[in-house]
Amino acid sequence: MSRLAQVSENGQKVAEAIASVLKVEVEIIDTELVRVAGTGIVRNDVGSRLLRGLVNKHVLQTGNHIFINEAGFHPICLSCPLSGRCFYRASIVYPIIAETEVIGTISLIAFDDAQKETLSKNTGSLIEFIGRMADLISSKALEREIVAERMVMANRLEAVVDAVYEGVVAVNSEGVVTHFNQSAERLFGAKKEHIVGKDAKVILPSLPLAEVLQEGKGFNSREVFFNFGGRKLHLLSTARPIKVENSQIAGVVASFRDFKETQRLAYEIMSTQEMIDFDDLVGVSKSFKDVKSKAVKISSGNLTILIAGESGTGKEVFARAIHANGPHGHRPFVSINCGAIPENLLETELFGYDEGAFPGARRGGKPGKFELADGGTIFLDEIGNLSLYLQAKLLRYLQDRRIERVGGNRLIPVDVRVIAATNNDLQEMVRKNLFRDELYYRLSVIPLVIPPLRERPEDIPLLLDFYMKRFGKLLGKDIQGFSDEAMKACVKYYWPGNVRELVYAVEYAINLEENHRISLESLTPEIREETRKKTRDGIAGDGRLLQLAQMEKEAITAALDRFGWSDEGKVRAARALGISRATIYRKIQRYGLKPA
């Protein structure tokens, strides 16, 4: 639809008004030579296209008005089939210009001698008059386009605001609510139609919107507490004034988010996604400082590293610190637990797949972890759980630095530093033909063995204090330390889950503690109870030193007796011991453990 056709109703009214005053006929033509308005004998032809329209074409091309005194005899008319016998007697044709573009014409037309005489006697004044009418129609067209554009922008803004996860509330300069998005409806528990158009000071009195309106200053991440609809809300808010010319305040827009949700996200980021360097590795024991010093030295290179240690000793933390301190610390660090993913899925997770590799494969394929880590580091945790087939595929990558997607037939160069970790005895697995010896030698170019927590008791108070401060701040509690009794229990505890178990224990204690110092009663039942004393001390009832395997068997059996031998019980037991579900299933099978 042409620009004039969109205002045809306005054009028709203008044409009829002119015709009734001047007693001549009027027609309005768009750039496609379609008559969008007309009076008199051309009224019935509105909507149809001119068959010739040579004069209109001339005005559209030149942008200049023209007066045809003798229609059919003017030079423009000579090429027309109706030349000399045109049913028009005379006409004034004027261009309609919107900004710099000719969008159509408006014409005064004479079909008889009286109308022709009117045009001939008053040509100058009529040209000026019809020029004003052309400007009027042009302004109507521009006005409609501006309104349409604003409607599109308003709808687009509404869609964007509704797509935002945070609740968004906006008010105008009078404090009346103008926007209340879908997330705000969810957060406040109120419908948009009950809020928009109302005075924010009345309906949302506790929101700090009036303050921003008055002072013209916004704020970031401010905690807001208020009651709304019988609910107590604790939100995190950011607000900005809406400024127009001369810095005048036209309104305020504010975003809101549930504070508990923000706190949860912050905890997840802090606990799993934060950047870690060697300064974050806490410990003063000689064994820990030695392995830390070795890790610092080897981090600057790009050689493959094998980190060994019991579950929960901090193998991934060391891997992240090595990555961050290395030459590619600004590139991706991709972690994958080889024991937590079924074998039939692990290959596609590691190496990706091409389109059509299997039923349901995503169109275009999918890159694996190696490709995602290109230029950075990939951390393969529980490497001992890899099947012999995947061990061979990993070995192939370490040899030629290229991977092949599942279902693919091309080798893709990938530059990745490999850091592997295990809590298994890989040398023993090599002897039992459960692990490829050539892969073991490739991985263990630089081995790191992280000592368990029980072998560095002097580090336990430091770790307790470190995580006490972290969780105390995160949970908003003023915890100042551990009681002597609680600290002694923690230092003497066996810590089968190592640092991971310690972290969970501190979080558990801070959640339960109501005073300023963590008491023995706030510690986990495993620490408080003495049921595992012989495994903690490593001494049997008759004073014999127990072998590590025997200690492990008794610890797992005790955990399963406590939580149950069902699948759920095994998961809970693994969590309490600080090991993975895959590990506890493997240990049960290895030791042939059964319920009493």
Side-chain angles (χ1 to χ4, degrees):
M1 183 180 290
S2 67
R3 298 172 73 178
L4 278 184
Q6 295 179 17
V7 290
S8 59
E9 185 176 348
N10 300 94
Q12 185 63 37
K13 290 179 179 178
V14 171
E16 290 173 353
I18 295 173
S20 65
V21 172
L22 299 180
K23 305 304 180 185
V24 296
E25 305 308 334
V26 181
E27 70 176 3
I28 300 174
I29 308 297
D30 69 11
T31 54
E32 301 298 322
L33 297 181
V34 174
R35 187 180 284 111
V36 297
T39 63
I41 63 174
V42 296
R43 176 70 177 85
N44 293 331
D45 292 325
V46 170
S48 62
R49 192 175 188 275
L50 301 184
L51 296 178
R52 290 162 288 273
L54 298 179
V55 176
N56 287 282
K57 287 181 180 178
H58 174 79
V59 175
L60 287 171
Q61 291 171 359
T62 63
N64 298 320
H65 66 271
I66 190 170
F67 172 48
I68 305 294
N69 188 35
E70 292 291 336
F73 298 94
H74 192 278
I76 298 175
C77 305
L78 297 180
S79 60
C80 179
L82 298 179
S83 177
R85 53 190 179 89
C86 182
F87 56 89
Y88 285 65
R89 298 295 303 280
S91 63
I92 297 174
V93 184
Y94 204 97
I96 301 174
I97 301 175
E99 297 179 330
T100 60
E101 181 183 358
V102 179
I103 63 173
T105 64
I106 180 169
S107 304
L108 299 180
I109 307 169
F111 289 100
D112 56 34
D113 291 335
Q115 292 176 335
K116 179 178 179 180
E117 185 178 359
T118 299
L119 296 184
S120 300
K121 286 185 178 181
N122 306 289
T123 304
S125 60
L126 289 178
I127 289 175
E128 183 179 355
F129 174 77
I130 201 65
R132 299 285 179 86
M133 294 301 100
D135 291 341
L136 174 63
I137 296 171
S138 170
S139 67
K140 289 294 182 182
L142 288 172
E143 180 182 336
R144 182 180 180 86
E145 289 171 4
I146 291 171
V147 170
E149 184 179 352
R150 287 180 176 175
M151 285 292 294
V152 170
M153 290 179 64
N155 292 336
R156 187 178 297 155
L157 175 62
E158 193 77 15
V160 170
V161 169
D162 276 338
V164 173
Y165 184 75
E166 289 85 356
V168 176
V169 180
V171 299
N172 62 17
S173 58
E174 302 300 322
V176 176
V177 179
T178 59
H179 289 81
F180 194 80
N181 73 345
Q182 292 178 1
S183 294
E185 288 183 327
R186 172 184 54 81
L187 197 60
F188 290 83
K191 290 295 183 182
K192 178 180 180 178
E193 53 265 28
H194 298 153
I195 302 296
V196 173
K198 304 291 180 64
D199 190 339
K201 288 182 291 186
V202 175
I203 200 165
L204 302 168
S206 300
L207 297 188
L209 302 175
E211 168 190 334
V212 180
L213 267 178
Q214 293 172 1
E215 299 178 3
K217 295 181 179 179
F219 55 79
N220 294 321
S221 303
R222 178 187 296 182
E223 286 187 69
V224 179
F225 301 85
F226 68 104
N227 296 325
F228 185 82
R231 300 168 58 208
K232 292 183 178 180
L233 299 178
H234 182 190
L235 307 176
L236 203 63
S237 175
T238 295
R240 291 287 184 276
I242 303 171
K243 295 183 179 182
V244 291
E245 295 180 357
N246 301 323
S247 297
Q248 184 178 354
I249 306 300
V252 177
V253 60
S255 64
F256 299 89
R257 193 165 194 165
D258 189 335
F259 186 84
K260 289 184 179 179
E261 184 178 3
T262 304
Q263 192 177 44
R264 179 182 60 80
L265 290 173
Y267 170 74
E268 290 179 358
I269 292 171
M270 181 182 294
S271 59
T272 61
Q273 300 298 325
E274 63 181 337
M275 290 296 294
I276 295 174
D277 58 32
F278 287 108
D279 292 335
D280 297 315
L281 304 183
V282 179
V284 294
S285 63
K286 183 180 185 304
S287 59
F288 186 80
K289 287 196 295 185
D290 287 346
V291 71
K292 180 177 175 180
S293 176
K294 185 177 181 182
V296 171
K297 292 176 182 177
I298 63 178
S299 64
S300 58
N302 201 38
L303 291 174
T304 301
I305 298 173
L306 176 64
I307 303 177
E310 295 180 8
S311 179
T313 50
K315 295 185 289 295
E316 182 169 348
V317 175
F318 264 88
R320 288 182 179 274
I322 291 170
H323 167 73
N325 200 58
H328 307 297
H330 60 290
R331 303 303 296 272
F333 178 92
V334 177
S335 173
I336 185 168
N337 189 323
C338 302
I341 301 175
E343 183 181 341
N344 59 333
L345 298 179
L346 185 56
E347 183 180 9
T348 60
E349 282 295 310
L350 287 171
F351 302 103
Y353 59 82
D354 274 350
E355 183 176 338
F358 49 84
R362 191 170 69 181
R363 188 172 183 179
K366 178 185 175 183
K369 301 297 186 185
F370 271 88
E371 289 179 72
L372 296 176
D374 191 19
T377 300
I378 187 168
F379 175 65
L380 305 176
D381 198 7
E382 295 195 34
I383 192 72
N385 286 42
L386 283 183
S387 66
L388 291 173
Y389 166 71
L390 288 181
Q391 289 178 34
K393 198 161 184 178
L394 175 58
L395 177 62
R396 195 177 312 125
Y397 167 75
L398 292 174
Q399 290 170 342
D400 59 22
R401 295 288 166 175
R402 293 184 295 178
I403 61 104
E404 183 179 354
R405 288 185 177 184
V406 175
N409 54 12
R410 61 191 177 98
L411 295 175
I412 304 172
V414 176
D415 179 21
V416 170
R417 181 178 196 173
V418 176
I419 301 180
T422 182
N423 55 13
N424 296 324
D425 186 345
L426 292 187
Q427 289 181 316
E428 179 66 20
M429 293 182 68
V430 168
R431 283 193 289 270
K432 293 181 178 179
N433 295 320
L434 298 175
F435 202 85
R436 293 180 177 272
D437 55 354
E438 58 266 51
L439 177 59
Y440 171 72
Y441 299 132
R442 281 275 183 176
L443 291 174
S444 59
V445 173
I446 302 178
L448 281 179
V449 180
I450 303 178
L453 193 56
R454 62 182 171 275
E455 293 182 6
R456 48 189 185 105
E458 59 268 49
D459 293 339
I460 294 176
L462 294 176
L463 290 166
L464 292 171
D465 183 70
F466 177 82
Y467 288 106
M468 176 200 71
K469 291 176 179 176
R470 168 181 281 193
F471 289 116
K473 184 177 181 180
L474 187 66
L475 300 174
K477 288 195 171 185
D478 183 21
I479 305 295
Q480 299 174 2
F482 287 73
S483 68
D484 293 342
E485 189 178 21
M487 180 60 74
K488 182 182 291 185
C490 288
V491 172
K492 288 186 175 181
Y493 182 56
Y494 186 71
W495 297 112
N498 292 292
V499 179
R500 184 186 295 119
E501 184 183 4
L502 182 143
V503 173
Y504 294 153
V506 174
E507 184 181 12
Y508 175 94
I510 289 180
N511 273 285
L512 262 62
E513 188 57 64
E514 297 180 351
N515 299 312
H516 294 303
R517 298 183 73 81
I518 295 175
S519 63
L520 181 63
E521 289 70 25
S522 296
L523 298 178
T524 61
E526 289 79 11
I527 298 176
R528 284 187 283 109
E529 296 175 6
E530 295 294 327
T531 55
R532 284 196 266 166
K533 186 178 188 309
K534 63 180 180 179
T535 53
R536 285 202 304 271
D537 294 339
I539 301 175
D542 58 2
R544 289 183 296 106
L545 288 174
L546 293 174
Q547 293 184 352
L548 288 176
Q550 181 64 23
M551 292 162 58
E552 190 173 57
K553 285 175 58 178
E554 294 186 12
I556 294 173
T557 302
L560 291 171
D561 287 341
R562 172 186 294 276
F563 295 106
W565 290 73
S566 64
D567 288 340
E568 182 182 357
K570 291 172 183 176
V571 171
R572 295 177 62 192
R575 189 182 300 120
L577 294 172
I579 59 178
S580 70
R581 180 174 63 177
T583 299
I584 198 169
Y585 274 95
R586 189 173 64 253
K587 297 290 186 183
I588 291 172
Q589 184 178 11
R590 177 180 176 184
Y591 295 129
L593 301 180
K594 297 179 181 180

